[in-house]
Each structure stands twice: as structure tokens, then as C-alpha cells.
Amino acid sequence: MIAVLPGDGIGPEVTREAVRALTAAAEKTGTALKFEELPFGGQAIDETGGPLPDATLAACRRAHAVLLGAVGGPRWDALAPEVRPERGLLGLREELGTFANLRPVRLPASKSFVSPLREDLAGGGFDLLVVRELTGGLYFGDKRRWQEDGVEGAMDVMSYAAPEIERVARIAFALARSRSGRLTSVDKANVLVTSRLWRDVVGAVARDYPDVRLDHMYVDNCAHLMVRDPRRFDVILTENTFGDILSDLGGGLVGSLGLLPSASLGEGGPAIYNPVHGSAPDIAGRGVANPVGAILSAAMLARLSLGHEDMAGLIEEAVWRTLDHARPADLASGDGRRPTSTGAFGDAVVEAILGGEQQGETGRGRPGRDGWPAIERRLQM
Ligand code: IPM
Ligand code: MG
């Protein structure tokens, strides 16, 4: 069973297209999939009083994988941090222990025209991978707000224990090994003591991966070079907050955050798949949202949690082929074409999947919630 958490804003409309694409790919490969839709985020606050209801969490724990949309919106902005929709997302990451967040920044060369970068930088397309630590750092440290002598203050604590760094580093090294063999670890070691520990631990893990070429880079310099010289990067490993920021920068490189998928993996149990973009309440319900990030997240789900490379390949191919003739609104600006609606884009993807050529091996999938060792094998394919 796949737990589907559409959430808020454009979450439901893009998730719907992701489920349709996955269903089409399952049909094409003769696979049976079951979905269970559950309240989450602001929608769950309205229905049950909290962003991550017990029944939703229980269903996620039972699931082979979680397919998620987005959370948040102005309607819930005035709520205290502990009960906001975003807290549901952080709670789910924490409860499922999904500490490794994989955010591929991909754009085939044939689609490089949607990137805002010059042809000499974007012409070859992009294929970077941001590996973001997802259950530590500022997001989960102590937080406090106070008033003292009439002056307001607040703090968020950033802390990391060595094992938290080591486990996500191992995943990044394994991924780098399966790709170009290059890994950039990003920190702020000239200022932050957590970054000094980060650098030491990543350096120690590197000894187990002598075939991977590791370099360390400050996060400010990384942001600069991702734009100036994106090809110098392959896998980027970084902590939670830096990864949040650099992955949005990756969305800028490829032309829209709406194109980026993500997978959040733990040591065991179900992984979470969702587009990197947020709930975009300003455009919700108008049929203009870009469903590509959500659909590509479904492809990652098929590959990593179901072990169905064939389904993943079908979905990804279908997305790129659809982009040959259809452009969601965020990518259509300026070229004089009429943007394709969310639903029409999804229709075209489904059609391309059902009419597509099946590539690679088929039906290897024993749907697995067998955790990291199996996922690591799959990542190394
Ligand atoms: C993301 C989002 C979330 C994050 C928000 C919605 C809490 O921006 O997944 O990148 O900051 O992790
Ligand atoms: Mg973000």
C-alpha cells in the first residue's frame, strides 16, 4: 500500500497527477498497486485539530512508501509553530526517521532551454544530486522565544551528533560512487563549530570510499559556484538548513522549482516522496501548477521503494517527452505558447506512459519496506 498525503494548496492537484502516472506505469508493467489517501497538514488541522493525525501516521508506518504533496498556507500562518502544517511534515520525517533527503537537480540537454542560465552553462543540461540531512540541525534543535527587560529575543539551536553526520555521509558516498565518483561536502566550517565536526566526520568516512573524490566547500561559495559553474558539481552533501536553501537554488538552475522531485530515506520502514516545491496557495485550484516534481517523485518511489526500475524509467521518459510539446505555466513564460494545465499535462504523461516503450528489466519488484541495506543496493544500480 502507498500512503497518499496530498496536503494543502497545490498539493492535491499535483499529487493527483503523480498517482495517475504511477497507476498508468503499474498497468503498463502488470503491477498491482494500492493507494490509501489520508489527511495531512492544514487540511488535517481543519479536520482533526492537528497536522499529523495518529491515523495518518499509523497508515504511513504500515505503507510501503509515502507519496506526499505539500503543506501550509495563509489560513494557518497565525498558528503557533508546534501546531502549524509544517510541523506535521517535520513530525513525519522524525517519526519515520527519514534522515537522508535526495534531491536530484536534473534537466536533460534537450530541455536546457527552460533554464535561465546562458546556453554555454545550461546547454548540456543538469544532473546534480543534493543529499540533504533531514532530521537534525536547526530544524530539530531547541527553540525558544523570550522577553527580558522589555527586549524580545529568540533562538534556534543547531546541533549535530557525529553518528547523524556519518549515516547521511555514507549514503552520499555510496551515491557518488554509483555516479561520477565526485562528492562535495558543504558546510560553514570557517564560522560554525557544527560544521567543523561535519568536516571531520565526512573526512573520516571518506577513508572507506577511496574511489570517491571528496572536496569541502563553504556554503556561500557553493551557492555562488552552483550558478557560475554548475558542471563542477555532482553529488552535494550538506546539513538540513543549507540543503533546504541549496535545493531551491537547484530549482532556479533548471528553470523552476516545479521540476524537482525528492526522496527521503531512513534506515528501515517507508520512505517519503514529494516534490521539492511548497503548497503555493496563491495559485492553488487554478489548474496552473506544474505537476512534474510530483510525477518525478512518483518515479523515484517506483525505483527506490518498489524496486521497479521499469516503472520509474517509463514515468521519467514520459515526462521528458511530454515537455517536448507541453509546458506548464511556470515554464511557458515568454515563448508565446499557451501554457498547459496541470490536468492536461498529466493526461499527456499518462498517454505517453501507456504508449511508451518498456525499457530495462521488468517486474523485479518485491515491494519492499526492507530499509536501507536494500535501498543502498538499489541506489548503486
Ligand atoms: C522543503 C520545505 C520544508 C523544509 C518546509 C515546508 C518545512 O521547504 O522540504 O524544502 O524546510 O524542509
Ligand atoms: Mg525548502
Side-chain angles (χ1 to χ4, degrees):
M1 181 270 284
I2 296 168
V4 180
L5 279 51
D8 310 318
I10 60 171
E13 44 201 290
V14 297
T15 304
R16 175 169 176 271
E17 302 311 326
V19 170
R20 290 178 65 211
L22 206 46
T23 304
E27 186 184 323
K28 181 82 177 175
T29 57
T31 314
L33 293 182
K34 254 182 62 191
F35 298 95
E36 196 175 321
E37 195 173 310
L38 300 139
F40 185 56
Q43 176 212 4
I45 294 176
D46 292 347
E47 288 173 19
T48 70
L52 178 56
D54 290 345
T56 296
L57 180 59
C60 290
R61 288 193 200 283
R62 280 199 315 272
H64 290 106
V66 179
L67 183 64
L68 193 149
V71 294
R75 185 179 160 79
W76 307 282
D77 272 353
L79 296 176
E82 321 79 69
V83 292
R84 285 172 64 104
E86 289 80 358
R87 186 54 231 168
L89 184 56
L90 301 189
L92 188 65
R93 290 169 177 170
E94 190 173 26
E95 291 289 342
L96 298 183
T98 55
F99 61 85
N101 183 209
L102 276 41
R103 300 191 155 184
V105 179
R106 277 187 67 207
L107 187 71
S110 65
K111 304 292 170 299
S112 63
F113 55 86
V114 303
S115 168
L117 292 198
R118 275 193 327 252
E119 166 74 19
D120 59 317
L121 294 174
F126 297 92
D127 188 8
L128 318 178
L129 175 64
V130 177
V131 179
R132 169 189 178 194
E133 199 293 325
L134 200 61
T135 53
L138 283 174
Y139 279 66
F140 293 92
D142 283 347
K143 299 174 182 300
R144 200 148 55 81
R145 202 169 157 160
W146 66 81
Q147 187 139 25
E148 216 174 85
D149 302 330
V151 178
E152 273 205 298
M155 63 164 208
D156 297 278
V157 174
M158 176 155 171
S159 78
Y160 271 104
E164 291 178 286
I165 301 168
E166 180 178 342
R167 61 188 183 176
V168 70
R170 288 198 180 279
I171 289 175
F173 275 100
L175 285 160
R177 175 177 269 174
S178 73
R179 294 166 52 101
S180 73
R182 283 181 297 133
L183 175 64
T184 304
S185 175
V186 174
D187 60 39
K188 188 71 184 171
N190 50 346
V191 177
L192 302 178
V193 66
T194 40
S195 283
R196 300 213 63 81
L197 177 68
W198 185 277
R199 218 171 248 227
D200 290 347
V201 173
V202 172
V205 172
R207 287 186 219 116
D208 293 340
Y209 300 84
D211 49 327
V212 172
R213 198 144 45 86
L214 168 71
D215 64 345
H216 300 276
M217 191 181 282
Y218 298 142
V219 62
D220 47 352
N221 188 26
C222 178
H224 178 223
L225 287 179
M226 277 175 75
V227 178
R228 282 289 305 273
D229 187 14
R231 269 192 272 278
R232 92 169 280 306
F233 296 99
D234 186 39
V235 179
I236 293 174
L237 164 66
T238 193
E239 66 86 41
N240 204 344
T241 305
F242 297 162
D244 179 44
I245 297 165
L246 293 179
S247 56
D248 268 38
L249 199 157
L253 290 182
V254 296
S256 173
L257 199 50
L259 292 171
L260 301 191
S262 79
S264 307
L265 312 174
E267 234 131 38
I272 306 170
Y273 300 86
N274 61 285
V276 174
H277 65 70
S279 58
D282 50 324
I283 59 163
R286 291 172 26 204
V288 297
N290 183 347
V292 168
I295 297 172
L296 292 177
S297 298
M300 292 185 85
L301 185 157
R303 171 174 296 123
L304 298 176
S305 282
L306 306 182
H308 265 283
E309 180 60 31
D310 53 348
M311 286 173 58
L314 272 170
I315 296 171
E316 286 164 354
E317 271 306 304
V319 166
W320 303 130
R321 264 192 288 141
T322 301
L323 278 174
D324 284 337
H325 59 84
R327 249 17 100 61
D330 56 341
L331 301 176
S333 60
D335 70 356
R337 294 202 219 181
R338 272 180 54 141
T340 307
S341 72
T342 313
F345 195 94
D347 289 346
V349 170
V350 166
E351 207 172 295
I353 291 169
L354 295 176
E357 285 289 304
Q358 211 167 293
Q359 296 165 345
E361 356 166 21
T362 55
R364 304 190 325 100
R366 177 172 68 81
R369 32 173 301 137
D370 39 2
W372 175 243
I375 285 175
E376 187 174 30
R377 279 199 304 281
R378 284 171 204 155
L379 290 175
Q380 286 175 329
M381 284 188 318

